[in-house]
Amino acid sequence: MTDVLEAVQSFIAKGYHREYRVKDGKLVDLELGSTLDPCGIQIDAALRLESGDGEDASNIYAITDPATAHKGLLIDAFDVFHEICPRDLSERLVADRETAQAGDQDLPSKHGLRKVYKLEFNRDPERYILREGFPDFPPCPFGQSFSILGFDTAEQEYVWLVTSIIRDSRLIRVPYQGEDVISDE
């Protein structure tokens, strides 16, 4: 598979209907709100899709919880789980991960958002921020929800920041703080 959306749709067709997310270092079933035991889960498939020279990457994990027999997907759209997951879960996720070249490396957008590459970011790094948990995020094409997204403060629009930007220490992270947040300028 060379497209994240295509891969997600394929797994959903195979019964992976649950949405799993890493929250506060724990693997959570979003529908139930329950925590999964990272040592007890079964990782049925792990796929990494890279664009270009690895400047952008996304990971998809098809997971079965033997305790409940539920199947779901853990999507790491920004390739950041190694930073936010506990080490034991991170190691299990990547142990047998397959890597493929994504078919979107030359496209100017990703998931309906303008794609910002590292070269553009380097010209004006203060222009872009990473918003976390904002309620006005656009819909996620996977049928799930975004937890983080890039934001262009000059254009006042959400953008797709490639993975190499997400990892850049100059990128300012702005968590949602409720109604008090008026502007990003």
Short mmCIF file of all heavy atoms in Angstrom, two decimals, residues 126-162:
data_model
loop_
_atom_site.label_atom_id
_atom_site.label_comp_id
_atom_site.label_asym_id
_atom_site.label_seq_id
_atom_site.Cartn_x
_atom_site.Cartn_y
_atom_site.Cartn_z
N GLU A 126 9.08 30.91 12.59
CA GLU A 126 8.13 31.49 13.54
C GLU A 126 6.71 31.56 12.99
O GLU A 126 5.75 31.76 13.72
CB GLU A 126 8.58 32.91 13.97
CG GLU A 126 9.86 32.92 14.79
CD GLU A 126 11.12 32.84 13.91
OE1 GLU A 126 11.08 33.25 12.73
OE2 GLU A 126 12.13 32.33 14.41
N ARG A 127 6.58 31.41 11.69
CA ARG A 127 5.27 31.50 11.03
C ARG A 127 4.38 30.30 11.35
O ARG A 127 3.17 30.41 11.37
CB ARG A 127 5.49 31.60 9.51
CG ARG A 127 4.24 31.58 8.71
CD ARG A 127 4.55 31.71 7.24
NE ARG A 127 3.33 31.56 6.45
CZ ARG A 127 3.23 31.90 5.20
NH1 ARG A 127 4.27 32.43 4.55
NH2 ARG A 127 2.10 31.72 4.54
N TYR A 128 5.00 29.17 11.64
CA TYR A 128 4.24 27.92 11.83
C TYR A 128 4.28 27.48 13.29
O TYR A 128 5.30 27.59 13.96
CB TYR A 128 4.82 26.82 10.94
CG TYR A 128 4.80 27.21 9.49
CD1 TYR A 128 5.93 27.74 8.88
CD2 TYR A 128 3.63 27.10 8.74
CE1 TYR A 128 5.91 28.14 7.56
CE2 TYR A 128 3.60 27.51 7.41
CZ TYR A 128 4.75 28.03 6.83
OH TYR A 128 4.70 28.43 5.53
N ILE A 129 3.15 26.96 13.75
CA ILE A 129 3.06 26.41 15.10
C ILE A 129 2.38 25.05 15.00
O ILE A 129 1.76 24.71 13.98
CB ILE A 129 2.27 27.34 16.06
CG1 ILE A 129 0.83 27.54 15.56
CG2 ILE A 129 2.99 28.65 16.25
CD1 ILE A 129 -0.05 28.31 16.54
N LEU A 130 2.51 24.27 16.05
CA LEU A 130 1.83 22.98 16.13
C LEU A 130 0.74 23.12 17.19
O LEU A 130 1.03 23.32 18.36
CB LEU A 130 2.81 21.87 16.52
CG LEU A 130 2.22 20.47 16.51
CD1 LEU A 130 1.87 20.04 15.08
CD2 LEU A 130 3.18 19.49 17.12
N ARG A 131 -0.50 23.04 16.74
CA ARG A 131 -1.63 23.13 17.66
C ARG A 131 -1.97 21.73 18.17
O ARG A 131 -2.00 20.78 17.40
CB ARG A 131 -2.85 23.74 16.98
CG ARG A 131 -2.75 25.23 16.76
CD ARG A 131 -4.03 25.76 16.19
NE ARG A 131 -4.12 27.20 16.34
CZ ARG A 131 -5.19 27.90 16.01
NH1 ARG A 131 -6.25 27.30 15.51
NH2 ARG A 131 -5.19 29.20 16.17
N GLU A 132 -2.26 21.64 19.46
CA GLU A 132 -2.58 20.36 20.10
C GLU A 132 -3.97 20.43 20.72
O GLU A 132 -4.24 21.29 21.55
CB GLU A 132 -1.55 20.04 21.18
CG GLU A 132 -0.13 19.95 20.66
CD GLU A 132 0.91 19.79 21.76
OE1 GLU A 132 0.56 19.85 22.95
OE2 GLU A 132 2.08 19.60 21.40
N GLY A 133 -4.88 19.54 20.27
CA GLY A 133 -6.19 19.40 20.88
C GLY A 133 -7.18 20.52 20.61
O GLY A 133 -8.13 20.69 21.38
N PHE A 134 -7.03 21.26 19.55
CA PHE A 134 -7.96 22.35 19.25
C PHE A 134 -9.28 21.80 18.71
O PHE A 134 -9.28 20.86 17.90
CB PHE A 134 -7.34 23.33 18.24
CG PHE A 134 -6.44 24.35 18.86
CD1 PHE A 134 -5.23 23.98 19.44
CD2 PHE A 134 -6.79 25.69 18.89
CE1 PHE A 134 -4.39 24.92 20.03
CE2 PHE A 134 -5.98 26.64 19.49
CZ PHE A 134 -4.77 26.26 20.06
N PRO A 135 -10.41 22.37 19.14
CA PRO A 135 -11.71 21.84 18.71
C PRO A 135 -12.09 22.19 17.27
O PRO A 135 -13.01 21.59 16.73
CB PRO A 135 -12.69 22.50 19.70
CG PRO A 135 -12.02 23.76 20.13
CD PRO A 135 -10.53 23.45 20.12
N ASP A 136 -11.37 23.11 16.64
CA ASP A 136 -11.73 23.50 15.28
C ASP A 136 -10.90 22.79 14.20
O ASP A 136 -10.88 23.21 13.05
CB ASP A 136 -11.62 25.02 15.11
CG ASP A 136 -10.18 25.54 15.25
OD1 ASP A 136 -9.34 24.84 15.85
OD2 ASP A 136 -9.91 26.66 14.77
N PHE A 137 -10.24 21.69 14.57
CA PHE A 137 -9.49 20.94 13.57
C PHE A 137 -10.44 20.49 12.45
O PHE A 137 -11.59 20.12 12.73
CB PHE A 137 -8.86 19.68 14.18
CG PHE A 137 -7.63 19.93 15.03
CD1 PHE A 137 -7.23 18.98 15.94
CD2 PHE A 137 -6.87 21.07 14.91
CE1 PHE A 137 -6.10 19.16 16.73
CE2 PHE A 137 -5.74 21.28 15.70
CZ PHE A 137 -5.36 20.32 16.60
N PRO A 138 -9.95 20.48 11.21
CA PRO A 138 -10.79 19.95 10.13
C PRO A 138 -11.00 18.45 10.32
O PRO A 138 -10.26 17.80 11.07
CB PRO A 138 -9.97 20.25 8.87
CG PRO A 138 -8.57 20.42 9.34
CD PRO A 138 -8.64 20.91 10.76
N PRO A 139 -12.00 17.88 9.65
CA PRO A 139 -12.24 16.44 9.79
C PRO A 139 -11.05 15.62 9.31
O PRO A 139 -10.39 15.97 8.35
CB PRO A 139 -13.45 16.18 8.90
CG PRO A 139 -13.96 17.51 8.47
CD PRO A 139 -12.92 18.53 8.74
N CYS A 140 -10.80 14.53 10.00
CA CYS A 140 -9.74 13.60 9.63
C CYS A 140 -10.27 12.66 8.55
O CYS A 140 -11.37 12.11 8.70
CB CYS A 140 -9.31 12.81 10.86
SG CYS A 140 -8.09 11.54 10.53
N PRO A 141 -9.54 12.46 7.47
CA PRO A 141 -10.05 11.60 6.39
C PRO A 141 -10.13 10.11 6.76
O PRO A 141 -10.73 9.34 6.05
CB PRO A 141 -9.04 11.81 5.26
CG PRO A 141 -7.79 12.22 5.95
CD PRO A 141 -8.23 13.00 7.17
N PHE A 142 -9.54 9.72 7.90
CA PHE A 142 -9.57 8.33 8.31
C PHE A 142 -10.85 7.99 9.05
O PHE A 142 -11.03 6.87 9.50
CB PHE A 142 -8.39 8.00 9.24
CG PHE A 142 -7.06 8.51 8.77
CD1 PHE A 142 -6.25 9.22 9.63
CD2 PHE A 142 -6.62 8.28 7.48
CE1 PHE A 142 -5.03 9.71 9.20
CE2 PHE A 142 -5.40 8.76 7.05
CZ PHE A 142 -4.61 9.47 7.91
N GLY A 143 -11.73 9.00 9.26
CA GLY A 143 -12.92 8.78 10.04
C GLY A 143 -12.64 8.88 11.53
O GLY A 143 -13.49 8.58 12.35
N GLN A 144 -11.45 9.28 11.88
CA GLN A 144 -11.08 9.45 13.28
C GLN A 144 -10.94 10.95 13.54
O GLN A 144 -11.69 11.73 12.96
CB GLN A 144 -9.79 8.69 13.57
CG GLN A 144 -9.94 7.21 13.32
CD GLN A 144 -8.71 6.41 13.67
OE1 GLN A 144 -7.67 6.93 13.98
NE2 GLN A 144 -8.84 5.10 13.62
N SER A 145 -10.04 11.36 14.38
CA SER A 145 -9.86 12.78 14.64
C SER A 145 -8.38 13.09 14.80
O SER A 145 -7.61 12.27 15.27
CB SER A 145 -10.62 13.19 15.90
OG SER A 145 -10.19 12.44 17.01
N PHE A 146 -8.00 14.30 14.38
CA PHE A 146 -6.63 14.74 14.58
C PHE A 146 -6.43 15.13 16.04
O PHE A 146 -7.35 15.66 16.67
CB PHE A 146 -6.31 15.97 13.71
CG PHE A 146 -6.21 15.68 12.24
CD1 PHE A 146 -7.13 16.21 11.35
CD2 PHE A 146 -5.18 14.90 11.75
CE1 PHE A 146 -7.03 15.97 9.99
CE2 PHE A 146 -5.07 14.63 10.39
CZ PHE A 146 -6.00 15.18 9.50
N SER A 147 -5.25 14.89 16.58
CA SER A 147 -4.92 15.36 17.93
C SER A 147 -3.95 16.53 17.86
O SER A 147 -3.88 17.33 18.77
CB SER A 147 -4.35 14.23 18.77
OG SER A 147 -3.18 13.71 18.16
N ILE A 148 -3.19 16.63 16.76
CA ILE A 148 -2.28 17.75 16.53
C ILE A 148 -2.36 18.12 15.06
O ILE A 148 -2.62 17.27 14.21
CB ILE A 148 -0.82 17.43 16.92
CG1 ILE A 148 -0.27 16.26 16.09
CG2 ILE A 148 -0.67 17.18 18.40
CD1 ILE A 148 1.22 15.99 16.30
N LEU A 149 -2.13 19.40 14.77
CA LEU A 149 -2.04 19.86 13.38
C LEU A 149 -1.20 21.12 13.33
O LEU A 149 -1.18 21.92 14.27
CB LEU A 149 -3.42 20.20 12.81
CG LEU A 149 -4.19 19.09 12.11
CD1 LEU A 149 -5.54 19.61 11.60
CD2 LEU A 149 -3.42 18.45 11.00
N GLY A 150 -0.53 21.29 12.19
CA GLY A 150 0.22 22.51 11.97
C GLY A 150 -0.73 23.66 11.67
O GLY A 150 -1.85 23.46 11.20
N PHE A 151 -0.26 24.87 11.97
CA PHE A 151 -1.06 26.06 11.71
C PHE A 151 -0.16 27.14 11.16
O PHE A 151 0.92 27.41 11.71
CB PHE A 151 -1.74 26.53 13.01
CG PHE A 151 -2.78 27.59 12.79
CD1 PHE A 151 -4.04 27.26 12.32
CD2 PHE A 151 -2.49 28.92 13.07
CE1 PHE A 151 -5.00 28.25 12.11
CE2 PHE A 151 -3.45 29.90 12.88
CZ PHE A 151 -4.71 29.57 12.40
N ASP A 152 -0.57 27.74 10.05
CA ASP A 152 0.16 28.84 9.42
C ASP A 152 -0.42 30.13 9.98
O ASP A 152 -1.56 30.48 9.67
CB ASP A 152 -0.03 28.75 7.91
CG ASP A 152 0.68 29.85 7.14
OD1 ASP A 152 0.98 30.90 7.72
OD2 ASP A 152 0.91 29.65 5.93
N THR A 153 0.35 30.82 10.81
CA THR A 153 -0.17 32.03 11.46
C THR A 153 -0.33 33.19 10.48
O THR A 153 -1.15 34.09 10.73
CB THR A 153 0.73 32.46 12.64
OG1 THR A 153 2.05 32.74 12.15
CG2 THR A 153 0.78 31.38 13.71
N ALA A 154 0.41 33.20 9.38
CA ALA A 154 0.28 34.28 8.39
C ALA A 154 -1.01 34.12 7.59
O ALA A 154 -1.73 35.09 7.34
CB ALA A 154 1.48 34.30 7.46
N GLU A 155 -1.33 32.90 7.20
CA GLU A 155 -2.53 32.64 6.41
C GLU A 155 -3.73 32.29 7.28
O GLU A 155 -4.85 32.18 6.77
CB GLU A 155 -2.27 31.50 5.42
CG GLU A 155 -1.22 31.80 4.38
CD GLU A 155 -1.63 32.90 3.43
OE1 GLU A 155 -2.83 33.00 3.08
OE2 GLU A 155 -0.75 33.69 3.02
N GLN A 156 -3.49 32.05 8.57
CA GLN A 156 -4.55 31.68 9.51
C GLN A 156 -5.31 30.44 9.02
O GLN A 156 -6.54 30.42 8.92
CB GLN A 156 -5.53 32.85 9.74
CG GLN A 156 -4.90 34.00 10.51
CD GLN A 156 -4.59 33.64 11.96
OE1 GLN A 156 -5.49 33.31 12.71
NE2 GLN A 156 -3.33 33.70 12.33
N GLU A 157 -4.52 29.40 8.71
CA GLU A 157 -5.12 28.15 8.24
C GLU A 157 -4.31 26.96 8.73
O GLU A 157 -3.11 27.06 8.98
CB GLU A 157 -5.21 28.12 6.71
CG GLU A 157 -3.85 28.05 6.03
CD GLU A 157 -3.91 28.06 4.51
OE1 GLU A 157 -5.00 28.24 3.95
OE2 GLU A 157 -2.85 27.89 3.89
N TYR A 158 -5.02 25.83 8.85
CA TYR A 158 -4.34 24.59 9.22
C TYR A 158 -3.55 24.08 8.02
O TYR A 158 -3.99 24.21 6.87
CB TYR A 158 -5.35 23.53 9.69
CG TYR A 158 -5.82 23.81 11.10
CD1 TYR A 158 -7.09 24.31 11.34
CD2 TYR A 158 -4.98 23.59 12.19
CE1 TYR A 158 -7.52 24.58 12.63
CE2 TYR A 158 -5.39 23.87 13.47
CZ TYR A 158 -6.65 24.36 13.69
OH TYR A 158 -7.07 24.65 14.96
N VAL A 159 -2.38 23.51 8.30
CA VAL A 159 -1.50 22.96 7.27
C VAL A 159 -0.96 21.62 7.74
O VAL A 159 -0.98 21.31 8.93
CB VAL A 159 -0.33 23.92 6.95
CG1 VAL A 159 -0.83 25.21 6.31
CG2 VAL A 159 0.51 24.23 8.18
N TRP A 160 -0.46 20.84 6.81
CA TRP A 160 0.20 19.58 7.12
C TRP A 160 1.69 19.84 7.18
O TRP A 160 2.32 20.15 6.18
CB TRP A 160 -0.10 18.54 6.05
CG TRP A 160 0.45 17.20 6.43
CD1 TRP A 160 1.70 16.71 6.14
CD2 TRP A 160 -0.21 16.21 7.19
NE1 TRP A 160 1.85 15.47 6.69
CE2 TRP A 160 0.68 15.13 7.34
CE3 TRP A 160 -1.46 16.12 7.78
CZ2 TRP A 160 0.36 13.97 8.02
CZ3 TRP A 160 -1.79 14.97 8.46
CH2 TRP A 160 -0.88 13.91 8.58
N LEU A 161 2.27 19.76 8.37
CA LEU A 161 3.71 19.90 8.54
C LEU A 161 4.35 18.53 8.39
O LEU A 161 3.95 17.59 9.06
CB LEU A 161 4.03 20.47 9.93
CG LEU A 161 3.43 21.84 10.26
CD1 LEU A 161 3.73 22.21 11.71
CD2 LEU A 161 3.94 22.91 9.31
N VAL A 162 5.35 18.44 7.51
CA VAL A 162 6.02 17.16 7.33
C VAL A 162 6.73 16.76 8.62
O VAL A 162 7.03 17.60 9.48
CB VAL A 162 6.99 17.17 6.13
CG1 VAL A 162 6.25 17.40 4.82
CG2 VAL A 162 8.10 18.19 6.31
#
